[in-house]
Amino acid sequence: MLICVFTVSASLGWTLTGWVPPAQSQLPSLPTATSNDPTKPPQEVTRSGDLEIAPVKSPLDGKQLFEVASPTIWNRDNVPEGTIPVEVRAQEITDRLWRVVNRAFQAKTKPTVAVEIATLNNRLILQLSDDQSSRPIRLVTVTEPDADYHSETLDQLAQEWQGIVQAEMVRLKQLSSVDVLRQRLGQSLQILLGLLVASFAIWFLQRLLTRRQKRLEARYQQELAAITKAEKARKATDEIAQSDITAGKGAEAKQVVDLRSQFLVTMHHHFSVKGRLEFDKFLKWGLFWLFILSWYIGIYAILSRIPVLMRWSNYVLATPLEIILVWFSISLAIRISKSLIDWFIDTWKVNPYLPLGEVQRIALRTRTISGALKGLSTFILVVIGILLTLGLFNIPTSSILAVGTVFGLAISFGSQSLIKDLVNGCLILIEDQYAVGDVIQIGNKSGLVENLNLRVTQLRNGEGQLITIPNSNITDVSNLTRLWSRIDFSIVVAYENDPKQVLDILKEVSQQLFREPEWRDRLPEPPEVLGIDDLSHTGMLMRVWIKTTPMEQWSVGREFRLRVRQAFEANNIQIGRPQWITYNAALAKSTLQN
């Protein structure tokens, strides 16, 4: 946008104030890709047997006017004496045409340029003359190689070139007039204004999509919670439904079928919300590239309308367009790869026939694997894009790859601990030792896995501290939330209590906790009262095992201990305590004497 504003402003000032470039100034030629091999001709030169051909282009817009030919030079490092390479000859003709263009833009009254055929040293030439200059400009000499290549006589070829150059001079006079310049500058300003309006419209649409995306993401999370709740209810009633169907209880069985149907509808709605979310992201991506494309087309349109900039318009359609196409393809490939990864992960994660614990476990694991796969695919595609971009500028990518390989090996030898971190991180993901959201213990460190990548594992402990552990230092891991968890509840009661009464109280508390809907979702199966596990001087050790869903063992354990304490108090159950024996030596001696 800034380039366009500057260009239009400079051109407008040039037209309205009458400023003209210096007579000796020339529009610089853009660099062309050349080969390091002297036996190969430049990019724009073609060989046809013993002749080499190069185009002569208009100094206005780079349009090809005609082609000149010269004898083939087989080695440009050793040009024969008296021979001019064909590309040098074509460039000299273009430079002479630019002198005429420069004169036309400098003159206040536009001259009429005539193209004449003359003879110089018994050779046909084309020369340019105008009504304001006494000395014509020699443009090109018509040579025998030119006539041989075009299969015409020298006179015929000279007349043909005369007509082409004369038409170009007429076009030059038209474009250099003040009225045409003002008209084209007005068109350029209209294009620039249209670009600004289109950019504002694209920005406004992106804002709307961003707001809608936030609403859909919140809705997406609500749908995830609804699916999880419906899945828990479905798993909890599967066994009841099976027994009801066997017993012939049609009403109860119908309720279970309705519950399953509701679960499937909820899951379908969840996927529809996610589909709309992905579609909105795709629209934002499309609007971004529409913004780039609109400015690219607008800049090309402005360059092709302002005469002083017209010769650069053809170059806009060359390398810049190829760069845009390369990175558009890379960006599209990144989006497709991420969509395929998400599709594969969702297919693996959402399966109504898997156990609930396994579904939750896969959800935790896929979050980490998905991030790693997306990062890897993005890195590979970006590297490919960089190599393709370097290739457009004829930079040898093979040498860069070779240097990069050597540099990578040097880094790998110098940072073996980093390589070990990456390898161990891959093994952690492949073996599914733990994932983001698990509670684990590594050595004397424990906490919630908040971040996991190929290099480090980050834990958040109960005090809120973030603990970072390199993956190479991880040898033994205790996963406290793998598929399911367990509360190992044990309590010592006094010998004065009736053991059967204590066990009955524990069973009653366990069953009551299992029956309540608030806690039923957290208990995959009823608690198991094991009985008396040990006898000691402190009392009888009672043990209960309570199986819970992952991450719920702490909340369930606290609630169960509270209820056991209240039940023991209501039934006068005494807690065990150590037995002390006091030994009195004098009393013992008196007793023995008696």
Side-chain angles (χ1 to χ4, degrees), residues 175-218:
L175 293 177
S176 60
S177 65
V178 176
D179 294 337
V180 173
L181 285 174
R182 289 177 177 174
Q183 179 184 4
R184 291 187 170 235
L185 284 174
Q187 294 174 355
S188 300
L189 287 174
Q190 292 176 0
I191 294 173
L192 182 60
L193 181 61
L195 288 175
L196 294 175
V197 172
S199 300
F200 176 78
I202 292 174
W203 171 81
F204 182 73
L205 289 175
Q206 285 183 332
R207 285 287 299 266
L208 291 180
L209 288 175
T210 301
R211 294 177 182 176
R212 181 181 174 183
Q213 183 178 350
K214 291 180 179 178
R215 292 195 300 266
L216 286 176
E217 285 178 350

Side-chain angles (χ1 to χ4, degrees), residues 61-126:
D61 54 6
K63 181 184 68 174
Q64 179 176 321
L65 299 177
F66 54 88
E67 291 180 318
V68 294
S70 295
T72 298
I73 298 177
W74 301 105
N75 188 350
R76 275 170 165 71
D77 288 343
N78 187 17
V79 180
E81 185 177 355
T83 303
I84 300 177
V86 68
E87 66 271 14
V88 176
R89 184 185 174 205
Q91 185 61 44
E92 289 178 351
I93 299 172
T94 302
D95 293 341
R96 292 181 186 127
L97 285 173
W98 176 249
R99 289 170 56 190
V100 177
V101 172
N102 202 14
R103 282 185 184 180
F105 282 109
Q106 279 185 329
K108 294 182 179 180
T109 59
K110 305 305 176 185
T112 300
V113 181
V115 183
E116 302 173 348
I117 301 177
T119 304
L120 179 64
N121 298 328
N122 296 325
R123 305 176 73 179
L124 290 177
I125 64 170
L126 294 182

Side-chain angles (χ1 to χ4, degrees), residues 300-484:
Y300 171 75
I302 292 175
L303 291 178
S304 62
R305 278 167 173 76
I306 300 178
V308 72
L309 302 176
M310 287 175 62
R311 77 174 293 186
W312 298 88
S313 60
N314 287 339
Y315 293 97
V316 174
L317 294 177
T319 303
L321 179 59
E322 293 177 347
I323 293 175
I324 291 177
L325 291 176
V326 165
W327 285 105
F328 172 79
S329 302
I330 294 297
S331 177
L332 182 61
I334 290 175
R335 289 200 62 85
I336 292 175
S337 65
K338 289 184 177 180
S339 298
L340 290 176
I341 291 172
D342 287 336
W343 174 82
F344 174 76
I345 293 298
D346 289 337
T347 304
W348 179 29
K349 180 171 59 177
V350 182
N351 191 337
Y353 300 102
L354 287 176
L356 177 60
E358 188 65 24
V359 172
Q360 294 174 339
R361 178 64 193 172
I362 291 177
L364 293 175
R365 186 184 180 192
T366 52
R367 177 181 171 186
T368 305
I369 296 177
S370 174
L373 290 178
K374 289 179 181 179
L376 179 62
S377 63
T378 301
F379 173 77
I380 293 175
L381 291 173
V382 168
V383 169
I384 293 175
I386 293 174
L387 294 178
L388 292 176
T389 304
L390 294 177
L392 295 177
F393 293 97
N394 293 309
I395 298 175
T397 56
S398 57
S399 301
I400 295 177
L401 289 176
V403 173
T405 303
V406 175
F407 186 67
L409 290 175
I411 292 178
S412 63
F413 283 116
S415 57
Q416 295 184 9
S417 60
L418 176 61
I419 302 301
K420 188 176 180 181
D421 290 338
L422 299 178
V423 172
N424 204 25
C426 291
L427 294 177
I428 289 173
L429 289 178
I430 294 173
E431 297 173 357
D432 192 20
Q433 298 178 16
Y434 55 87
V436 174
D438 279 341
V439 177
I440 63 174
Q441 182 174 353
I442 302 175
N444 59 349
K445 307 293 184 181
S446 63
L448 175 71
V449 180
E450 191 171 282
N451 183 29
L452 169 62
N453 53 46
L454 297 181
R455 196 182 71 84
V456 297
T457 298
Q458 291 183 320
L459 306 179
R460 182 78 66 175
N461 63 9
E463 298 178 357
Q465 298 174 349
L466 184 63
I467 304 172
T468 301
I469 304 175
N471 290 333
S472 58
N473 295 341
I474 299 175
T475 55
D476 298 328
V477 180
S478 299
N479 195 331
L480 307 181
T481 55
R482 181 67 166 89
L483 295 180
W484 55 270

